[in-house]
Amino acid sequence: MSSVTGKLPGSHHCLRGACAAHMRHPANYGNVGTMSSQQFRVGGRSSKRPLKERAAGAGTGFLFCLLTVACMVGLFATYYFFVRTTMGQFIDESALVEAKELSGSAGKASTGFLDALPVTSLVIAAVVVLFVTVARRRWTAAGIAVAACIAANVATQVLKFLIPDRPDRGVQTLELNSLPSGHTTLAASAAAAVFLMVSPRWRPLAGFLGSTFAVATGVSTLINQWHRPADVVAAFLVVGAVMLPAGWLILRSGNQWNLWRGYGEHWASSRLWVMLTVFAVLAAGAVAAYSLFQVMPGLSTDSTVDYFWAGTAFIVLAGYLSALGSIWLFGMAARKR
């Protein structure tokens, strides 16, 4: 110990002096190894400077681009399988036909929900975005989020116009193109705008509630026989492809408030919301696997509700997987402390 000496400016010439200084200032206890070279020297050599905080979104641009491309590829794969192939058309159309089995009270409820959806989505998103913008002065983030929300809905309408009608594959179905679902795009993009605008500690809750709202919208369009399951999945992928780049821009332009302190800091950042999302994904996966196992050998037409439950499970999987991925990605990309 006698060979290891250090100097603190204006203090004693040995480590005991440093220890004494730390006893007088307990807040500095344990930080000797992280003090800068101007503060502490050991054996005449400077200690390493502490690493600087990484700015929000820094070093994650490639990952955001990769996931955006993955959404685009997933959108094309969904279109190709469920619109261009016989098996995909049969599965998709069978889910729509079997939705008639749940008509009645469920159909009436879903119709009322869908009728109120445009106003509900816009009101919820507008109130939250406006409140956060004014209260927290996040003007740039608000502009990006609103522009992305509009772009996602415009992209859906453009795709509806550009995608050819369903080819004849021997499956009795309406030939008119219905992919992607406009109602689902509206609900999912509104939920995504709220997710992007709130602080990181609120995003686990916003992700779970937003995906629940979007999934409920998608399932309602199926029950009401407005859209096939693939239309809803395609809508989620359109929203992801547009909102991911917007989210990265918001992270880069809002370094000060995009600060993530980890789970448990606030009730809205509890791991409970992640666990509920994971549970929904696992349950939907189990339902999809069981339902398809019941009907896939030979694609029997004896099913009464199996295709419907499989289609519903696909919607739930797509919605909650989007939420799970968003919570992880934005938590990882946010500034840490």
Side-chain angles (χ1 to χ4, degrees):
M1 288 299 293
S2 61
S3 62
V4 180
T5 60
K7 291 188 178 183
L8 283 167
S11 67
H12 298 291
H13 298 297
C14 66
L15 288 177
R16 286 181 296 179
C19 294
H22 279 286
M23 291 298 292
R24 291 193 297 272
H25 302 285
N28 294 328
Y29 183 75
N31 293 332
V32 176
T34 61
M35 296 172 70
S36 64
S37 58
Q38 286 82 2
Q39 294 174 309
F40 186 63
R41 296 177 180 273
V42 178
R45 295 183 179 180
S46 300
S47 63
K48 293 182 179 179
R49 292 178 180 273
L51 294 175
K52 293 182 180 179
E53 270 188 356
R54 188 191 68 182
T60 59
F62 175 77
L63 182 57
F64 274 84
C65 288
L66 185 63
L67 292 176
T68 301
V69 172
C71 286
M72 295 178 179
V73 173
L75 176 61
F76 176 78
T78 299
Y79 160 74
Y80 182 82
F81 179 73
F82 287 103
V83 176
R84 308 297 300 182
T85 69
T86 302
M87 181 180 292
Q89 278 193 10
F90 185 84
I91 294 174
D92 219 20
E93 187 64 24
S94 296
L96 189 65
V97 171
E98 290 179 358
K100 294 179 181 179
E101 299 295 328
L102 296 177
S103 60
S105 58
K108 293 178 181 179
S110 64
T111 301
F113 177 74
L114 290 171
D115 288 341
L117 176 64
V119 175
T120 303
S121 300
L122 293 177
V123 168
I124 293 175
V127 168
V128 175
V129 170
L130 183 61
F131 173 79
V132 174
T133 302
V134 174
R136 304 299 183 186
R137 300 183 181 278
R138 297 171 189 169
W139 305 102
T140 302
I144 296 172
V146 171
C149 186
I150 295 173
N153 287 275
V154 170
T156 287
Q157 298 306 318
V158 170
L159 286 172
K160 279 179 176 291
F161 178 77
L162 293 180
I163 292 178
D165 292 338
R166 290 172 173 259
D168 184 4
R169 294 288 185 264
V171 178
Q172 187 176 358
T173 178
L174 291 175
E175 294 180 356
L176 295 176
N177 175 55
S178 59
L179 182 148
S181 166
H183 279 76
T184 305
T185 301
L186 180 60
S189 61
V194 171
F195 179 87
L196 297 181
M197 283 296 299
V198 297
S199 300
R201 68 177 182 175
W202 285 93
R203 283 177 181 152
L205 174 63
F208 174 73
L209 293 182
S211 60
T212 301
F213 179 67
V215 165
T217 302
V219 173
S220 294
T221 63
L222 175 59
I223 292 176
N224 206 46
Q225 301 167 60
W226 287 13
H227 283 286
R228 304 170 180 88
D231 301 344
V232 178
V233 173
F236 288 138
L237 292 169
V238 169
V239 172
V242 175
M243 287 298 188
L244 281 170
W248 185 80
L249 290 175
I250 288 176
L251 286 170
R252 297 298 290 155
S253 62
N255 180 66
Q256 186 65 28
W257 59 272
N258 272 293
L259 174 63
W260 172 242
R261 293 187 176 91
Y263 294 104
E265 174 211 353
H266 187 262
W267 67 270
S269 60
S270 170
R271 291 184 183 273
L272 171 66
W273 310 116
V274 179
M275 293 171 61
L276 289 174
T277 308
V278 171
F279 175 78
V281 170
L282 294 177
V287 171
Y290 175 80
S291 299
L292 289 178
F293 179 78
Q294 296 292 104
V295 295
M296 283 302 288
L299 291 177
S300 171
T301 57
D302 296 334
S303 167
T304 56
V305 291
D306 287 321
Y307 284 109
F308 169 80
W309 286 117
T312 301
F314 289 154
I315 294 173
V316 175
L317 272 172
Y320 283 106
L321 274 177
S322 299
L324 196 62
S326 298
I327 293 171
W328 167 80
L329 177 63
F330 282 85
M332 182 270 296
R335 185 166 60 94
K336 306 296 191 303
R337 177 173 294 175

